Amino acid sequence: MLQVAVALYALAALGGLAMAGIRFVRHRNPPSWLAMAHGLLASAGLTLQLYASLVAGAPGSALLSALLFLLAAAVGVWLNLRYHEADTPLSKRTVLAHGAVAIVAFALLLFAAF
């Protein structure tokens, strides 16, 4: 289960990198469909990871990773509601924080899954 979660997060990360590129290089917000696909893939991975951590007895680092992904998800929802839906430029600092937390969570998940 954790390995499938890794794959889902990896796909979400590709979307996240594309969105960060759009924000930092093109100086505009990414399209809504890309943000929604990113969130859907990440939430699917998080759901699977939480199930594996809480029910199936995954290692403790998987649960810590899930908690960090929950934090990253909260920041992502805030970015969407505060900036994206209001059609104002996404905060670059918040985008970087969101990505940094997700990267740490992903590294912990890799450790737990493999």
Side-chain angles (χ1 to χ4, degrees):
M1 281 188 275
L2 292 179
Q3 293 173 353
V4 174
V6 166
L8 290 167
Y9 284 131
L11 291 173
L14 291 175
L17 288 171
M19 288 191 299
I22 291 169
R23 177 64 187 105
F24 287 99
V25 175
R26 294 188 183 168
H27 305 289
R28 62 181 178 89
N29 285 346
S32 291
W33 67 266
L34 184 54
M36 294 299 114
H38 169 75
L40 179 66
L41 287 167
S43 63
L46 181 59
T47 301
L48 189 58
Q49 182 182 2
L50 283 171
Y51 178 79
S53 297
L54 298 174
V55 178
S61 59
L63 182 57
L64 177 58
S65 168
L67 294 174
L68 288 172
F69 272 125
L70 280 170
L71 175 62
V75 173
V77 167
W78 185 78
L79 278 167
N80 187 41
L81 295 176
R82 168 65 178 85
Y83 295 99
H84 205 93
E85 288 301 317
D87 200 29
T88 57
L90 295 170
S91 163
K92 291 180 179 181
R93 187 175 298 165
T94 308
V95 169
L96 290 173
H98 171 71
V101 171
I103 288 168
V104 171
F106 189 74
L108 281 170
L109 180 59
L110 285 173
F111 178 73
F114 300 103

